[in-house]
Amino acid sequence: MNPTLICKPTPLHRLDRASEKLGIDLWIKRDDLSGFAGGGNKGRKLEFLIGEALAQGADSFVTRGAFQSNYVRQAAFAAKMFGMEFHAAVMHWPYSLPGRETHPDGWKPPKADSGNMILDKLAEANIYVYEDGTFDEMDAHADALAERLRAEGRNVYQTPSGGSSPVGALGFVAACDELFEQADPFDYVLFASGSGSTQVGLVFGHRRAGCKTHLIGICTDDEPEMVDYFEQIAEGVSQLTLSNLKLSRNDFDLRQDYHGGGYQVPSAAAERAIRFLAHTEGILLDPVYTAKAFAGLMDLAEKKQIGGRVLFWHTGGLPTLLVPRE
Ligand SMILES: Cc1ncc(COP(=O)(O)O)c(C=O)c1O
């Protein structure tokens, strides 16, 4: 039995002023208000991940991520709630492939003891900061952590970054059923996409229900190759749900135009999106994920490439709005 972590359903409402300014019928799904450990999309995945960890009798939870990861923050609290030790391997600037190690001009590392790092401490998380490197290197650090704990006799449950295993994606498959109870299918759904299980779960849940909704993930990193991994997650979701539905890379509309130079790199368009939504609706976006996604939505609306009933799925991330740069 999976634990309940978030307050469901998260609110769904229309954005009247923003709709008028952008010339679309714009709605928002408020996973930023999910009510668990500061809010955000990871609570949905963690209900399934913690459920699996508990079923395996785990006493330790190991993962990895970026220095200011929202997943690490929420996973740390979820593990704590269920009596598990929490360990995470983190880097300031993880990158997918060798050759992407150079920070763009003007990029500054997020300040320690700020944003999610403050909350990780509150959760009594064990955070190990490693030198920047590839995702594979970060995986290797997390594997080594897990090995050390196993050698000490611990029963370890390990997840990829962002909780993006097929089990984590089930949280967003279930989220689609929650949405369908709240409203008729939208013409478009837009959201920030990173490690993939949000997009895979949303696409799977819509296609399984036979919805024609156009789902657009705004990639928050310079990583077009991520769709290959999405395909693997989707394959795992088909198996877990005993479904004949098979998704391939072509089922994932992952836009590369709005990451502003890479993960955590500030962009003028994201800054504009933060001000727009805060000033028109009093809703706060974060600079790393949701502001880039909303900047994409604004651009597509301005170019009239989206229209009709449009849903922005707000995936949270507020702590990083409060992070000063070194
Ligand atoms: C605030 C926020 N939005 C969106 C995402 C992207 O979700 P996913 O990693 O499932 O693609 C993340 C991932 O860390 C996030 O923290």
Side-chain angles (χ1 to χ4, degrees), residues 11-15 26-30 33 281 283 311:
L12 173 86
H13 61 92
R14 189 170 188 274
L15 298 175
L26 183 59
W27 294 68
I28 190 163
K29 179 77 170 146
R30 303 295 304 271
L33 302 181
E281 302 285 350
I283 293 175
L311 178 67

Side-chain angles (χ1 to χ4, degrees), residues 41-42 45 70 162 164 192-198 286 289-290 315-317:
N41 61 339
K42 304 306 188 297
K45 308 180 192 185
N70 295 303
S164 279
S193 197
S195 61
S197 51
T198 300
D286 80 287
Y289 292 97
T290 53
T315 46

Side-chain angles (χ1 to χ4, degrees), residues 80-228:
K80 189 78 189 166
M81 281 170 70
F82 292 93
M84 287 178 245
E85 263 187 20
F86 181 84
H87 301 263
V90 307
M91 290 178 179
H92 279 292
W93 179 268
Y95 44 87
S96 54
L97 296 174
R100 299 227 180 107
E101 52 274 87
T102 320
H103 309 156
D105 287 349
W107 185 83
K108 297 198 177 89
K111 206 165 169 355
D113 292 325
S114 68
N116 282 315
M117 296 300 272
I118 293 176
L119 299 172
D120 295 347
K121 269 199 187 144
L122 177 63
E124 298 178 352
N126 299 291
I127 306 285
Y128 310 85
V129 183
Y130 292 93
E131 248 181 58
D132 291 347
T134 61
F135 289 134
D136 287 347
E137 284 164 337
M138 200 162 52
D139 273 342
H141 291 309
D143 288 346
L145 273 176
E147 253 341 287
R148 177 171 64 71
L149 291 165
R150 285 193 190 101
E152 290 168 10
R154 315 293 306 225
N155 183 352
V156 176
Y157 181 78
Q158 198 175 343
T159 78
S161 65
S164 279
S165 64
V167 171
L170 293 179
F172 270 92
V173 177
C176 295
D177 296 332
E178 178 182 310
L179 177 68
F180 303 146
E181 296 237 324
Q182 291 175 303
D184 289 335
F186 286 85
D187 296 306
Y188 289 87
V189 177
L190 286 90
F191 47 86
S193 197
S195 61
S197 51
T198 300
Q199 184 153 2
V200 172
L202 287 176
V203 173
F204 196 93
H206 277 78
R207 296 294 169 261
R208 188 175 68 169
C211 288
K212 299 268 181 287
T213 302
H214 192 144
L215 294 118
I216 302 180
I218 306 290
C219 194
T220 50
D221 200 349
D222 184 8
E223 291 185 335
E225 64 278 0
M226 277 305 282
V227 284
D228 295 331

